[in-house]
Amino acid sequence: MKALAEALQQAENEPVPSGLCFVYTAGKEMTMSTVTFDTQEFVAKLRAAGFDEKQAEAVVRVVADAQSHLVTREHFDVKLELLETKIDAKFDKLSWMMGILIALAIANFAKQFF
């Protein structure tokens, strides 16, 4: 609750943009996802609920700022695929290194006893 109060205080002097449009992309192969947020309608609803103009605008700014950090499902899936690819590449390298170490150990063992 304290964080909300601080955010509201910071947001008081900033103008409320009209009809914000947030765009999230992650990679060239992903299509653009868009989340629209009608700030003026939200202000009007808050005013109707009893907020004064300054309070309503501050709440809208806080909500709009919070939405700018959202991640779409497509964005998350692409990031997860990239992470899986990196992990697979590391395991491939690790399996080659282990194979070489085992081959060297067997060669050393054979050299000592044969």
Side-chain angles (χ1 to χ4, degrees), residues 14-22 37-40 43 57 60-61 64:
E14 298 175 17
V16 176
S18 176
L20 291 177
C21 179
F22 301 101
F37 177 67
D38 187 359
T39 56
Q40 296 303 326
V43 168
E57 289 177 0
V60 169
R61 278 196 278 309

Side-chain angles (χ1 to χ4, degrees), residues 6-18 20 22 39-40 43 53-66 68-69:
E6 289 174 0
L8 287 172
Q9 275 185 327
Q10 281 181 330
E12 280 185 10
N13 295 330
E14 298 175 17
V16 176
S18 176
L20 291 177
F22 301 101
T39 56
Q40 296 303 326
V43 168
E53 186 72 26
K54 210 172 190 182
Q55 289 173 327
E57 289 177 0
V59 169
V60 169
R61 278 196 278 309
V62 169
V63 171
D65 184 48
S68 69
H69 302 293

Side-chain angles (χ1 to χ4, degrees), residues 25-99:
T25 61
K28 296 176 184 173
E29 68 279 348
M30 190 176 126
T31 58
M32 189 185 317
S33 298
T34 305
V35 177
T36 57
F37 177 67
D38 187 359
T39 56
Q40 296 303 326
E41 181 181 348
F42 191 19
V43 168
K45 286 181 181 181
L46 289 173
R47 297 259 312 149
F51 283 76
D52 66 23
E53 186 72 26
K54 210 172 190 182
Q55 289 173 327
E57 289 177 0
V59 169
V60 169
R61 278 196 278 309
V62 169
V63 171
D65 184 48
Q67 283 188 344
S68 69
H69 302 293
L70 294 178
V71 177
T72 63
R73 182 165 189 80
E74 292 84 14
H75 185 140
F76 181 75
D77 290 342
V78 168
K79 287 291 188 179
L80 188 59
E81 277 183 40
L82 290 173
L83 182 60
E84 288 173 351
T85 304
K86 286 181 182 180
I87 290 172
D88 288 342
K90 288 186 180 196
F91 275 119
D92 288 343
K93 189 187 300 183
L94 183 63
S95 65
W96 273 99
M97 291 171 67
M98 290 301 294

